[in-house]
């Protein structure tokens, strides 16, 4: 079946603009995750959803970041008033519910803030 | 606080040589341990995982990792590497968040394995 898809694949935006990143998880996966991968860094856990709710939002870097998930499926990560330090690859993953299930990753969205 | 440390950012090795990629974690709660691999120009994919039971787990392409609770380590090994193993390898732990009942996955910074002919 189809894997995790993300759009856009690349996004270049000017500092101060808002951006919206989209993730379509694998059908049937109830858990959805967002990560950020900066150049030369590991993956930074941002947030995850159980269904439509996010039990812990403390991983979001600042209040400019928000995420939502509707219908237990598609999720959007919104970054308001982008800054240059927001430039990174944003990865989405999905899995069945539970700590022991592997996460399936999307190809990522490369965000460049100029 | 939980953390994952991959001690080597880059590991160059000759083809057919053995390799060990080190991973240490710190956590006060039970964890599930994973190794993910990212081949050049591809997305992350699971290599192997430890959930419970035998502390030695294996992947289909010859990698193995051993969970050592006393040393809080989950090192990845392969007795003989191929050129095609060139990739970035990430160690990860998933921990339960006691206050929210949710969970969190923490990744290490990654180790770039470069296999030379």
């Amino acid at each position: 079946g189809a894997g995790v898809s993300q759009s856009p694949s690349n996004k270049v935006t000017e500092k101060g603009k808002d951006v919206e990143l989209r993730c379509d998880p694998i059908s049937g996966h109830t858990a959805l995750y967002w990560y950020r991968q900066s150049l030369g860094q590991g993956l930074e856990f941002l947030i995850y959803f159980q269904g439509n709710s996010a039990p812990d939002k403390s991983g979001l870097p600042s209040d400019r970041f928000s995420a939502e998930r509707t219908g237990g499926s598609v999720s959007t990560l919104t970054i308001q008033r982008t800054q240059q330090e927001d430039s990174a690859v944003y990865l989405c993953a999905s899995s069945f519910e539970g700590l022991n299930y592997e996460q399936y990753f999307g190809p990522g969205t490369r965000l460049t803030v100029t | 606080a939980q953390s994952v440390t991959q001690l080597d950012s880059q590991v160059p090795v000759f083809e057919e040589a053995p390799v060990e990629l080190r991973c240490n974690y710190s956590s006060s709660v039970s964890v599930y341990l994973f190794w993910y691999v990212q081949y050049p120009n591809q997305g992350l994919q699971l290599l192997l995982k430890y959930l419970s039971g035998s502390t030695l787990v294996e992947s289909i392409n010859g990698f193995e990792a051993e969970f050592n609770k006393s040393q809080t380590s989950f090192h990845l090994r392969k007795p003989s590497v191929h050129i095609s193993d060139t990739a970035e390898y990430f160690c990860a732990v998933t921990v339960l968040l006691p206050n929210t009942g949710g969970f969190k996955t923490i990744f290490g910074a990654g180790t770039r394995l470069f296999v030379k002919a």
Side-chain angles (χ1 to χ4, degrees):
Chain A
V4 178
S5 61
Q6 293 185 246
S7 61
S9 56
N10 278 284
K11 176 73 176 178
V12 180
T13 189
E14 291 180 352
K15 178 181 172 182
K17 301 281 190 184
D18 298 352
V19 295
E20 226 176 58
L21 313 180
R22 177 188 167 108
C23 172
D24 273 281
I26 292 173
S27 177
H29 281 185
T30 52
L32 184 148
Y33 315 78
W34 283 100
Y35 296 89
R36 179 169 69 174
Q37 187 176 25
S38 303
L39 189 63
Q41 307 276 329
L43 274 71
E44 178 186 2
F45 182 88
L46 299 180
I47 192 170
Y48 96 99
F49 290 89
Q50 286 177 325
N52 291 334
S53 64
D56 187 340
K57 300 182 180 180
S58 62
L60 294 174
S62 74
D63 58 9
R64 296 186 293 105
F65 287 72
S66 62
E68 64 175 19
R69 188 180 187 194
T70 55
S73 181
V74 172
S75 175
T76 55
L77 177 70
T78 302
I79 309 173
Q80 296 178 309
R81 306 180 303 281
T82 52
Q83 303 294 312
Q84 287 186 330
E85 61 262 28
D86 299 334
S87 296
V89 176
Y90 290 82
L91 292 169
C92 175
S94 71
S95 77
F96 291 110
E97 194 62 46
L99 291 77
N100 55 339
Y101 289 107
E102 72 172 280
Q103 297 175 33
Y104 292 80
F105 284 82
T109 294
R110 182 175 296 278
L111 175 67
T112 304
V113 182
T114 61
Chain B
Q2 299 90 6
S3 66
V4 176
T5 303
Q6 290 185 245
L7 297 164
D8 307 295
S9 59
Q10 295 187 66
V11 174
V13 64
F14 285 104
E15 194 174 19
E16 298 183 6
V19 72
E20 179 180 81
L21 307 184
R22 295 176 292 171
C23 173
N24 287 86
Y25 68 93
S26 66
S27 176
S28 57
V29 297
S30 295
V31 300
Y32 294 100
L33 298 156
F34 303 80
W35 275 97
Y36 284 84
V37 58
Q38 188 171 28
Y39 296 104
N41 302 313
Q42 294 188 29
L44 275 157
Q45 54 189 284
L46 181 72
L47 185 62
L48 48 77
K49 63 182 178 182
Y50 170 77
L51 305 178
S52 63
S54 172
T55 57
L56 185 67
V57 291
E58 299 177 351
S59 72
I60 57 172
N61 59 350
F63 281 94
E64 64 179 31
E66 186 161 18
F67 169 56
N68 188 319
K69 188 173 182 179
S70 63
Q71 296 185 5
T72 59
S73 68
F74 191 53
H75 301 332
L76 182 70
R77 303 185 184 95
K78 189 170 184 179
S80 175
V81 294
H82 301 129
I83 297 284
S84 60
D85 292 325
T86 294
E88 187 145 21
Y89 293 80
F90 294 91
C91 181
V93 299
T94 297
V95 299
L96 184 66
L97 301 172
N99 295 331
T100 63
F103 58 93
K104 181 176 181 176
T105 301
I106 305 159
F107 279 79
T111 297
R112 188 171 296 278
L113 176 65
F114 179 58
V115 182
K116 301 177 285 186

